[in-house]
Amino acid sequence: MKKLLLIILVFSWTIEAAWAQKRWSLADCVAYAIDHNLPIKRQDILVAIKNLDQEMARRERLPAVGGYFNGYSTFGHSQDVFGTIRRNDNFNSNMGINAEVTLYQYNYLRNQAKKATLQSEQEELEKGILKRDLTLKVVQSYLEVLLSQALVQAQDSAINFSLQLLDKAEKSTAIGASAPAVVFEAKANLARENSNFSSITKKLSRQN
């Protein structure tokens, strides 16, 4: 979870620094995580294997058909007792087709097909569970990044506001319109906001 949050934070900070680059939405993060997740890729392979097993189990119930063809020939000549020479050429061939079908085998083939179907469905369900869990993790990390960015931006705005108050107080004190205590109070407020900003950044770094 920490590694996933760090990846999303890096993407978000990079995007904030370079507006010309693509801004990653929640859908982009989820799609990228699913496409590059090794357990899901491994599950895809298992699903493909189980689908092949299912197809093979179904085909085992079909009749098996085979065929053959044989041919041979002999060439030569022979001579009878009267000296007559005759050709003795022969060509022989045979061919055939055979088929085999299992009429009943204690429902073995049917049960094997059902087993392969159930295993294929199980692998599909496990793949769906992996995608769901990964999606939830990405959404949680994405929301944490948005919250972290909002906190940093809010604190940055508070620091800028404190700087403006300090500048105003110093100018007002310089012309005698405000007491020096106002400047001290503005400086204390700025220091407090800077401390809060430092605390937030340290907390985020520990989360990463």
Side-chain angles (χ1 to χ4, degrees):
M1 174 63 70
K2 292 183 178 180
K3 184 180 293 185
L4 186 61
L5 178 59
L6 176 60
I7 293 174
I8 297 179
L9 277 172
V10 171
F11 278 133
S12 300
W13 289 338
T14 304
I15 292 169
E16 291 293 334
W19 288 92
Q21 296 182 3
K22 176 183 176 181
R23 179 176 292 275
W24 283 63
S25 64
L26 177 58
D28 293 332
C29 294
V30 172
Y32 183 88
I34 291 177
D35 292 340
H36 296 80
N37 185 262
L38 292 180
I40 292 180
K41 288 184 177 181
R42 182 169 59 249
Q43 194 64 27
D44 286 335
I45 297 176
L46 292 177
V47 169
I49 293 175
K50 293 302 179 182
N51 288 337
L52 289 176
D53 291 342
Q54 180 183 8
E55 185 64 23
M56 293 175 61
R58 289 177 177 176
R59 295 193 178 191
E60 285 181 356
R61 303 174 64 182
L62 299 176
V65 180
Y68 64 91
F69 175 82
N70 295 320
Y72 61 92
S73 61
T74 59
F75 301 95
H77 58 274
S78 61
Q79 185 176 7
D80 59 15
V81 295
F82 301 104
T84 304
I85 298 176
R86 297 179 180 181
R87 296 288 302 176
N88 187 14
D89 299 335
N90 295 293
F91 180 79
N92 298 282
S93 65
N94 58 75
M95 61 182 299
I97 298 177
N98 56 58
E100 180 182 353
V101 59
T102 302
L103 297 178
Y104 186 73
Q105 199 179 22
Y106 300 98
N107 293 326
Y108 173 77
L109 295 179
R110 185 174 65 179
N111 291 334
Q112 285 294 105
K114 287 183 178 180
K115 178 182 177 182
T117 300
L118 292 175
Q119 289 178 340
S120 177
E121 293 176 352
Q122 179 183 356
E123 297 299 339
E124 287 284 358
L125 288 175
E126 292 181 1
K127 177 182 176 181
I129 293 173
L130 287 175
K131 285 186 175 181
R132 183 196 63 187
D133 293 343
L134 181 59
T135 300
L136 291 176
K137 291 179 180 180
V138 172
V139 170
Q140 180 181 353
S141 299
Y142 191 87
L143 294 178
E144 289 179 359
V145 169
L146 292 181
L147 177 59
S148 301
Q149 289 180 339
L151 290 174
V152 171
Q153 292 175 357
Q155 195 59 39
D156 186 64
S157 298
I159 292 175
N160 290 331
F161 183 71
S162 297
L163 287 171
Q164 294 175 3
L165 289 179
L166 177 59
D167 182 66
K168 182 178 179 181
E170 289 176 344
K171 291 180 180 179
S172 178
T173 302
I175 61 176
S178 300
V182 177
V183 176
F184 295 145
E185 182 179 355
K187 289 182 178 181
N189 184 64
L190 177 60
R192 183 167 54 253
E193 297 298 347
N194 284 326
S195 177
N196 291 337
F197 183 81
S198 178
S199 299
I200 291 175
T201 54
K202 288 181 180 179
K203 182 180 180 180
L204 292 177
S205 63
R206 286 197 298 268
Q207 291 178 352
N208 296 338

